[in-house]
Amino acid sequence: MSLAGKTALITGANRGIGRAVALAMAEKGALVALGSRRPEAAETVREEIEKRGGQAFVVALDVGSTASCSEAVDQVVGRTGRLDILVNNAGITRDSVLLRLSEEDWDQVLDTNLKGVYRCSRAALRPMLKARSGVIINISSIVGLIGNPGQVNYAAAKAGVIGFTKSLAREVASRQIRVNAVAPGFIDTDMTGSLSEEQQKALAARIPLGRTGKPEEVAAAVCFLAGDEASYITGQVIVVDGGLAM
Ligand code: NDP
């Protein structure tokens, strides 16, 4: 499996799943643009990739800003002459039961997790349409499929990402652009790190494979969708959750 010759832009590439996707894609030969709203934090990922013999550079990218998304895409295309793969990974949580959920926390989660996907995809589509090829991979969540108490905002955004994925896949299929989603379950990152050991144990007990997942296990599915091995797959959601949502 090879991504050699391809340029990939990953949002939120400085830690967690985004970082794992960046490392995996670079290992498969892609030139990786590390999108981050904290470019200095992404420099360590760039160094890690280069140490392993891969190629990467950092791009300032705040998915909450339309101008930032389009400037990041322009920078990638200006520097590499192309954009083959976009991974919409950046995301946040602001958990609370609905009656206590503030409008601000609703808006922030929807703006980052759903509108951010709209902003970056729209910017990335321009060079992809011109090239008549490209791959967009959106990181959704099993919470968007099965729900989770205390996460109505997050679930709405992640379910929205799935609807977005399928609709855009239909819009751009005739131009040979594929759009898919990956829906992870509970993955060991900072996002789930705030759970107590007890909560993590209880969670693992509900997962058929008996453990939480690793960012690298999500990255493997993203790399598969990005590559030519997935050339006939579009509009799909690959669930990576140890069997939790089946
Ligand atoms: P982390 O909290 O570890 O990382 C989130 C990343 O998103 C960080 O790089 C963060 O940047 C970035 N980010 C947040 N807001 C913005 C923004 N406005 N602009 C640019 N970057 C931003 O989370 P994960 O790695 O776990 O999550 C990655 C994706 O996977 C998310 O979409 C999440 O919803 C999804 N997911 C995660 C699961 C899990 O169990 N971990 C399960 C299902 C889905 P910064 O460092 O600057 O904050």
Side-chain angles (χ1 to χ4, degrees), residues 11-19 35-38 41 61-65 88-93 112-113 139-143 154 158 182-192:
T11 71
N14 54 287
R15 59 191 171 109
I17 292 171
R19 171 183 165 276
S36 175
R37 61 179 170 177
R38 294 184 300 125
L61 201 178
D62 180 348
V63 302
S65 153
N88 283 309
N89 163 79
I92 57 167
T93 50
T112 302
N113 295 8
I139 307 299
S140 177
S141 166
I142 57 159
V143 169
Y154 186 78
K158 293 299 189 182
V182 171
F186 288 91
I187 309 301
D188 301 326
T189 67
D190 296 341
M191 192 173 268
T192 48

Side-chain angles (χ1 to χ4, degrees), residues 46-70:
R46 181 186 61 76
E47 283 166 18
E48 220 175 328
I49 287 173
E50 287 178 356
K51 246 186 236 159
R52 297 180 188 193
Q55 283 182 287
F57 60 96
V58 175
V59 175
L61 201 178
D62 180 348
V63 302
S65 153
T66 303
S68 173
C69 294
S70 99

Side-chain angles (χ1 to χ4, degrees), residues 127-169:
M128 287 182 179
L129 285 169
K130 230 179 184 178
R132 289 191 162 258
S133 86
V135 183
I136 296 177
I137 298 153
N138 300 321
I139 307 299
S140 177
S141 166
I142 57 159
V143 169
L145 294 168
I146 62 172
N148 199 24
Q151 288 199 309
V152 290
N153 51 353
Y154 186 78
K158 293 299 189 182
V161 165
I162 292 173
F164 178 98
T165 299
K166 290 174 185 280
S167 298
L168 185 60

Side-chain angles (χ1 to χ4, degrees), residues 22-105:
L23 289 168
M25 285 193 168
E27 201 170 307
K28 293 188 185 307
L31 170 53
V32 178
L34 303 159
S36 175
R37 61 179 170 177
R38 294 184 300 125
E40 71 289 352
E43 285 295 341
T44 58
V45 182
R46 181 186 61 76
E47 283 166 18
E48 220 175 328
I49 287 173
E50 287 178 356
K51 246 186 236 159
R52 297 180 188 193
Q55 283 182 287
F57 60 96
V58 175
V59 175
L61 201 178
D62 180 348
V63 302
S65 153
T66 303
S68 173
C69 294
S70 99
E71 277 160 27
V73 167
D74 287 350
Q75 216 181 310
V76 173
V77 175
R79 192 163 167 157
T80 71
R82 55 196 301 145
L83 177 56
D84 304 285
I85 302 160
L86 169 68
V87 182
N88 283 309
N89 163 79
I92 57 167
T93 50
R94 295 283 183 274
D95 298 349
S96 182
V97 290
L98 179 60
L99 285 180
R100 274 192 243 125
L101 181 68
S102 68
E103 232 176 283
E104 193 194 338
D105 284 348

